[in-house]
Amino acid sequence: MTTMTVCTVATAISARLEARFAEELASVEDATLVRRCADVTELLSAAESGAVTVAAISPDFPGMNGSVVAELTVRGASVLGVVSATSALDARQCEAWSLRRTHVVGSGELEQAFETLAHTGPAEHELASAAEQAETSLATDGPDDGAAAASSPTSTTVVVWGPPGAPGRTTCATHLAQALSESGPTLLVDADTVAPSCSAHLGLLDEAPGVLAAARLVDAGTLNLHQLRSIAAHVTPGFDVLTGIGHSGRWHELTRFHLGRVLDLAAQHYRWVVIDVAAEVEADESLLFDTVAPSRVGVSSEAFARADHVVALAGCDPVSLQRFVQHAPAIIDLHDDVRVVVSKARERAVGGSASSVVADALERFLGVRPVAVLPDVRDALDAAMLRGTLLEGADGAPYLAAVRDLASELGADVAPHATRRRRAWRRR
């Protein structure tokens, strides 16, 4: 036998296979079974502690899914799929999760499986899995999607954030996505795990949340670009949206691993990806020492990590400005390209020119200057919400013009709003 590093093994295997696998493992000289886990939480804890180098799993183990496999890899464990010779379904599931090695119980090849895992290691295993998943997605998307992925320009991801207190974040995100869609296919992702509302702003039903449908397919290992585009709701030509989780109590069903996979696929087709995130970006202090517990801010953390630009909204009134000054430093620390935008700008709220007063305050307390000012058009927004549409008409023109300027600031090729209206009038 080739000399290799001793593997410490934790198992999360269904009862029908566990005893036989343990018997086989006892005959492998350089592998030691250190823990038989009762649930996936115990398995993740073992991987996090560094006590195990290999996690042996079966697809039918309660709670086992693609997210658990991804977390095990991140925690430094190589993952070995364990299946029965009579279960083709389990073997296909391991393949869908892109496991580097799968062992058929009773095949007599367990020793070779551990040799493979020892030589690849978890980091190489993770990269190989990601590459295989990408190839599988392109292969199963069909010829049209494959061509779109190959020919699409570089994708740009924009995160829209604002502090607590309704600074107009979702209003900005939806209208910004609409403006960006004029310069290329655009996907809006509602990743707010506290108060998702993109569907309401767009007049869409949210009985079947798009992000959760995508998350389930990620767990199954079957999400591809074709499915992602099918799940997304089509707002206007070139503008799609993945609606949010619906009820905030379902936040644990959407993890950073789910969002990461969605963004990987979205980048293959969409020129622009706009992500609406929750106000909170700092983890609960009670969970800081529990690295296995799910984090509500994990999705936002993933969004910021993937963002090319961050749009940070500062509401135009004393309370909103105070909240922005308190929370914005954490955002500035998270990302190098934060574009500050004044939202709901109105003179009466600050006793003078909204653009100059707020800009001076932001420069004084944070050392930043806003790149755009979005006027307060609440009456027009109320009317649009009742219609189930985005802003339109003369009443919404000032806001739309400001959003289009913001889109240009981000690098999109969009015409000014006034020019667009004159051209439309000429066509009539």
Side-chain angles (χ1 to χ4, degrees), residues 405-425:
D405 289 342
L406 175 58
S408 296
E409 171 73 20
L410 296 173
D413 183 15
V414 296
H417 183 66
T419 301
R420 183 168 175 262
R421 290 181 65 201
R422 284 198 297 272
R423 288 176 180 172
W425 178 80

Side-chain angles (χ1 to χ4, degrees), residues 94-146:
C94 288
E95 182 180 357
W97 289 339
S98 296
L99 295 188
R100 187 76 172 164
R101 193 71 161 117
T102 301
H103 170 64
V104 179
V105 173
S107 65
E109 298 179 351
L110 186 57
E111 188 169 347
Q112 292 89 327
F114 277 102
E115 286 182 353
T116 300
L117 294 176
H119 289 142
T120 57
E124 185 177 342
H125 164 263
E126 180 184 6
L127 293 174
S129 295
E132 289 168 8
Q133 284 183 351
E135 292 172 2
T136 300
S137 296
L138 288 175
T140 56
D141 281 341
D144 293 338
D145 288 339

Side-chain angles (χ1 to χ4, degrees), residues 50-63:
V52 299
T53 57
V54 175
I57 67 166
S58 63
D60 59 347
F61 187 80

Side-chain angles (χ1 to χ4, degrees), residues 248-303:
S248 62
R250 303 184 68 179
W251 66 269
H252 58 280
E253 297 179 41
L254 181 66
T255 70
R256 64 181 306 160
F257 298 105
H258 295 136
L259 181 62
R261 182 65 181 137
V262 166
L263 296 181
D264 286 340
L265 289 172
Q268 298 174 11
H269 171 72
Y270 294 98
R271 173 65 182 86
W272 299 93
V273 179
V274 179
I275 310 175
D276 185 4
V277 298
E280 295 298 334
V281 295
E282 297 179 337
D284 187 337
E285 291 184 2
S286 65
L287 299 177
L288 289 180
F289 300 101
D290 188 350
T291 54
V292 178
S295 171
R296 191 163 198 156
V297 300
V299 172
S300 296
S301 298
E302 184 69 15

Side-chain angles (χ1 to χ4, degrees), residues 40-360:
V40 295
T41 301
E42 184 180 357
L43 179 64
L44 290 170
S45 297
E48 179 69 27
S49 68
V52 299
T53 57
V54 175
I57 67 166
S58 63
D60 59 347
F61 187 80
M64 189 60 63
N65 57 43
S67 295
V68 174
V69 171
E71 291 197 42
L72 287 169
T73 304
V74 169
R75 285 162 169 74
S78 296
V79 183
L80 174 66
V82 179
V83 300
S84 167
T86 60
S87 179
L89 180 62
D90 286 349
R92 285 197 298 270
Q93 184 62 78
C94 288
E95 182 180 357
W97 289 339
S98 296
L99 295 188
R100 187 76 172 164
R101 193 71 161 117
T102 301
H103 170 64
V104 179
V105 173
S107 65
E109 298 179 351
L110 186 57
E111 188 169 347
Q112 292 89 327
F114 277 102
E115 286 182 353
T116 300
L117 294 176
H119 289 142
T120 57
E124 185 177 342
H125 164 263
E126 180 184 6
L127 293 174
S129 295
E132 289 168 8
Q133 284 183 351
E135 292 172 2
T136 300
S137 296
L138 288 175
T140 56
D141 281 341
D144 293 338
D145 288 339
S151 61
S152 63
T154 303
S155 182
T156 301
T157 300
V158 181
V159 168
V160 181
W161 171 88
R169 182 186 65 250
T170 302
T171 300
C172 176
T174 51
H175 288 86
L176 177 61
Q178 183 186 46
L180 291 172
S181 68
E182 295 180 19
S183 65
T186 300
L187 177 67
L188 172 63
V189 181
D190 190 344
D192 187 339
T193 55
V194 178
S197 58
C198 285
S199 57
H201 279 71
L202 295 169
L204 301 172
L205 297 176
D206 59 358
E207 282 84 354
V211 292
L212 295 187
R216 287 190 292 271
L217 291 173
V218 169
D219 284 339
T222 58
L223 182 66
N224 56 44
L225 180 56
H226 175 73
Q227 290 172 323
L228 177 63
R229 295 177 63 188
S230 298
I231 293 169
H234 307 292
V235 182
T236 58
F239 177 15
D240 297 341
V241 58
L242 274 183
T243 55
I245 61 176
H247 191 282
S248 62
R250 303 184 68 179
W251 66 269
H252 58 280
E253 297 179 41
L254 181 66
T255 70
R256 64 181 306 160
F257 298 105
H258 295 136
L259 181 62
R261 182 65 181 137
V262 166
L263 296 181
D264 286 340
L265 289 172
Q268 298 174 11
H269 171 72
Y270 294 98
R271 173 65 182 86
W272 299 93
V273 179
V274 179
I275 310 175
D276 185 4
V277 298
E280 295 298 334
V281 295
E282 297 179 337
D284 187 337
E285 291 184 2
S286 65
L287 299 177
L288 289 180
F289 300 101
D290 188 350
T291 54
V292 178
S295 171
R296 191 163 198 156
V297 300
V299 172
S300 296
S301 298
E302 184 69 15
F304 282 109
R306 300 296 193 100
D308 296 296
H309 310 291
V310 174
V311 173
L313 295 181
C316 183
D317 63 77
V319 174
S320 295
L321 280 174
Q322 182 182 32
R323 288 172 175 164
F324 185 84
V325 170
Q326 290 173 341
H327 290 80
I331 303 301
I332 295 173
D333 290 342
L334 279 174
H335 205 276
D336 295 332
D337 186 1
V338 177
R339 315 287 180 98
V340 177
V341 173
V342 178
S343 179
K344 299 183 177 181
R346 59 192 192 281
E347 293 186 1
R348 290 185 178 181
V350 290
S353 171
S355 58
S356 61
V357 171
V358 175
D360 290 344

